[in-house]
Amino acid sequence: MIFLKESIKRFKLVKKTTLFYSLLSIITIVFLMSFFRKDSDNVPYIIYLTLFLFIFLSGIISSKKTSIIIYTLLLIYVSIEYTTERMTGFYFHEIPYEIISIIYDTNINEIKEGISLSTKEKQALFLVISYFILFLCIRKNHDNKKMAITQLSIFILFFIITDNTVARTINSIKNSKELIGNTLNIIKERQGFSWGSKSESNEKQTVVLFLGETHRGDYLSINGYKKDTTPNLLKENIISFNDAISQAAYTLQSTPMILSRKSVNDNGIFNEKSLISAFKEAGFETWYISYLSPTLIGDNEINLIANEADHYIQSDVKNETLDGILRNPSQKKLIVYKTIGSHFLYHNRYPDDYNIFTPSFTDADYSTPSVKDFKKLENSYLNSLLYSVDKNISDFINILKKEEGIVSLSFISDHGTSIYDDGKSLYGGNTKGNYNIALFFWFNDGYVDAYKNDIEVLKSNSHKKVTSEYFLDTMLHIGKINTEKRKNKSLFEKDIKEEKRLIKNKSIYDYDKDL
């Protein structure tokens, strides 16, 4: 009652500027509220915004320093919550460590492409900045201890009854800090790891591993997709697995599980090296080619894996780069390509002459898409596959056909992508499209002639339901590398028994049952 009486009394003294600012704040609140997800998880955030408006108005009326501090802190917190949800699909208080690392280690180009504001979002951003500037201009200091205490009490009470969200945020930061603190010890342990691997072949070997990006297998015509997205690969002897999934929907989570013995049950940086080191120990000279610069901020797990290679080359997918490596006199080569593939924004992943499926997006007409843009978005994605999978891989195959010895090319995508599969999700989250991946293999005539039985077994398993967990042992088999350290899951196993397909997204799920 004290607060209400004081507020009414103060409100009569408010100037026109303050009234304008109050109206502006209400409009901004409405804009911000419209961005939060329409589900039960949103309840705390609607309360946040209601309290935000309450504290703001009471602060304008009293102009207390307490109100200024509380308002500023709440504005910052809500902004962080919204920004992380907008970029990752997680609110900040629930964001996994792996996603924090993704943001921490991503490059500036990915950040620019990942943030594309709609007109409505630009308007909201303008309003937030505008009324914050006005807020700083309105600072009348009316001493009223009772009002300050009342406001502070309500603020504390609010956080007690709203799902302990702030406490969860603090715990998340604390846990991440502890995890980061353990990283150096794990890296030291990792450096001492050995595969104890040896080569079983005396022949010249060229093993190419192509790490795709955001490439879904169910959109490839080599897997039966209705549109011709892989016309060139259809002409080759490709062995493609048409029901393969990744065990995670984010690159930083999925890639280490693809290239090492890391599983969905392991958290943080894994204490073992990747298959690159297994090949090195077996006498292979190794290359890692990536569109990213060789050193990013921090030592995330993919950086550690890349640094295992003898050579790091920053390059897009270029035939000349592959030609240059193949001229190296080494008799055993492992060449790992990491590409930007079909990473969002899809329409930026192919040149104009590959804009075959239309209507599609262009830089000129692109804005943040919604469900109504599904057809244009899907066509843009199909064009990116036509270029980054069919064109690039078929070019590589034509080059590799000229190589002597036993030659192979293995393609696996880190994860898939959702294109409104559930009617609302575009990227991230727990929808099946985010886990569906392209997984296929090509072998030259020399390899096929030498290992006919292996090829037949691989073909016989190509319609099985599998995960990226099978990839490590499969690559060791392709490279004819002997080591006791395996996952004991290979696509060269006769008559693979389909098992529960586990995926990781904060928790562990059964892909076929839970999604």
Side-chain angles (χ1 to χ4, degrees), residues 261 469-474 476 483-491 493 496 499:
R261 293 203 299 172
E469 188 176 17
Y470 284 84
F471 193 73
L472 173 69
D473 287 5
T474 300
L476 295 175
T483 175
E484 294 181 356
K485 296 175 180 177
R486 296 176 176 272
K487 283 185 172 179
N488 296 319
K489 287 182 179 293
S490 171
L491 297 176
E493 295 174 18
I496 288 176
E499 300 176 349

Side-chain angles (χ1 to χ4, degrees), residues 58-124:
S58 63
I60 289 299
I61 293 166
S62 65
S63 296
K64 295 295 299 179
K65 290 182 179 179
T66 305
S67 297
I68 294 175
I69 294 171
I70 292 175
Y71 164 80
T72 303
L73 290 175
L74 192 59
L75 174 62
I76 293 171
Y77 187 76
V78 172
S79 298
I80 292 174
E81 289 275 274
Y82 166 70
T83 301
T84 53
E85 198 280 335
R86 171 69 167 79
M87 291 182 66
T88 69
F90 297 95
Y91 288 112
F92 183 75
H93 74 271
E94 63 181 10
I95 195 168
Y97 168 74
E98 288 87 352
I99 309 304
I100 295 175
S101 297
I102 290 172
I103 296 173
Y104 183 62
D105 284 295
T106 193
N107 65 8
I108 192 65
N109 290 330
E110 288 184 351
I111 293 175
K112 289 178 180 178
E113 292 176 343
I115 302 178
S116 181
L117 300 179
S118 66
T119 301
K120 189 175 183 181
E121 289 170 327
K122 290 176 182 177
Q123 291 170 344

Side-chain angles (χ1 to χ4, degrees), residues 454-502:
D454 284 353
I455 301 301
E456 291 306 313
V457 171
L458 195 64
K459 287 180 179 178
S460 70
N461 287 325
S462 62
H463 296 294
K464 297 290 181 68
K465 293 181 178 180
V466 298
T467 74
S468 52
E469 188 176 17
Y470 284 84
F471 193 73
L472 173 69
D473 287 5
T474 300
M475 286 301 298
L476 295 175
H477 190 107
I478 288 174
K480 302 308 167 187
I481 291 175
N482 182 22
T483 175
E484 294 181 356
K485 296 175 180 177
R486 296 176 176 272
K487 283 185 172 179
N488 296 319
K489 287 182 179 293
S490 171
L491 297 176
F492 287 98
E493 295 174 18
K494 290 184 178 180
D495 192 24
I496 288 176
K497 298 295 186 294
E498 294 179 350
E499 300 176 349
K500 185 183 294 184
R501 296 196 287 181
L502 299 179

Side-chain angles (χ1 to χ4, degrees), residues 21 30 92 153 191 213 245 249 252 258 266 278 344 358 377 401 443 493:
Y21 184 37
V30 173
F92 183 75
S153 298
Q191 289 172 343
E213 170 68 55
I245 64 167
L252 193 58
I258 291 172
D266 295 308
F344 199 75
T358 57
L377 197 67
K401 286 178 180 178
F443 304 91
E493 295 174 18

Side-chain angles (χ1 to χ4, degrees), residues 145-357:
K145 293 182 180 179
K146 291 182 179 179
M147 179 171 290
I149 292 172
T150 302
Q151 289 175 328
L152 187 58
S153 298
I154 292 175
F155 189 74
I156 293 172
L157 180 62
F158 160 75
F159 283 114
I160 292 175
I161 64 175
T162 53
D163 200 26
N164 295 319
T165 308
V166 172
R168 288 159 62 190
T169 300
I170 294 172
N171 287 334
S172 176
I173 295 172
K174 182 181 178 181
N175 292 337
S176 295
K177 183 179 179 181
E178 291 175 354
L179 188 57
I180 292 171
N182 293 329
T183 297
L184 289 177
N185 291 331
I186 295 174
I187 291 175
K188 288 181 181 179
E189 182 180 350
R190 196 173 178 279
Q191 289 172 343
F193 176 81
S194 173
W195 283 93
S197 55
K198 296 180 180 180
S199 176
E200 295 179 335
S201 173
N202 294 321
E203 298 179 79
K204 180 181 179 181
Q205 293 175 268
T206 303
V207 180
V208 177
L209 166 52
F210 205 99
L211 295 170
E213 170 68 55
T214 322
H215 292 129
R216 282 175 59 164
D218 59 348
Y219 273 103
L220 303 182
S221 51
I222 55 173
N223 288 333
Y225 183 64
K226 59 186 177 181
K227 294 185 179 180
D228 199 3
T229 54
T230 54
N232 292 304
L233 292 181
L234 281 169
K235 302 172 185 176
E236 305 294 345
N237 293 319
I238 299 293
I239 302 174
S240 182
F241 285 71
N242 59 14
D243 196 352
I245 64 167
S246 175
Q247 291 192 290
Y250 299 95
T251 302
L252 193 58
Q253 273 189 315
S254 63
T255 303
M257 288 193 285
I258 291 172
L259 299 180
S260 73
R261 293 203 299 172
K262 187 175 184 178
S263 74
V264 292
N265 297 307
D266 295 308
N267 297 311
I269 290 179
F270 194 48
N271 62 352
E272 295 182 3
K273 294 180 181 178
S274 76
L275 62 81
I276 294 176
S277 289
F279 275 76
K280 282 180 66 175
E281 290 182 32
F284 281 73
E285 190 163 355
T286 56
W287 285 262
Y288 191 97
I289 302 95
S290 173
Y291 67 100
L292 297 173
S293 57
T295 303
L296 297 178
I297 300 171
D299 280 321
N300 74 30
E301 203 158 3
I302 296 178
N303 289 340
L304 293 174
I305 291 172
N307 287 330
E308 293 176 30
D310 296 307
H311 312 280
Y312 190 108
I313 300 175
Q314 182 179 4
S315 173
D316 293 326
V317 182
K318 297 178 179 179
N319 295 346
E320 311 88 78
T321 305
L322 180 60
D323 279 328
I325 295 172
L326 294 176
R327 285 195 295 269
N328 183 285
S330 175
Q331 291 297 295
K332 293 183 183 294
K333 302 182 182 73
L334 171 69
I335 306 167
V336 181
Y337 265 87
K338 173 56 187 172
T339 74
I340 197 167
S342 292
H343 193 288
F344 199 75
L345 304 167
Y346 308 137
H347 66 276
N348 285 340
R349 304 300 167 224
Y350 54 89
D352 291 341
D353 53 341
Y354 276 81
N355 189 28
I356 305 300
F357 301 104

Side-chain angles (χ1 to χ4, degrees), residues 23 30 33 51 59 64 93 98 111 153 170 222 239 244 286 329 368 370 382 388 411 418 420 427 430 451 492:
L23 179 61
V30 173
M33 287 178 67
L51 182 71
K64 295 295 299 179
H93 74 271
E98 288 87 352
I111 293 175
S153 298
I170 294 172
I222 55 173
I239 302 174
T286 56
T368 302
S370 63
L382 297 180
S388 65
F411 185 105
S418 176
Y420 297 120
Y427 180 84
N430 251 16
Y451 304 102
F492 287 98

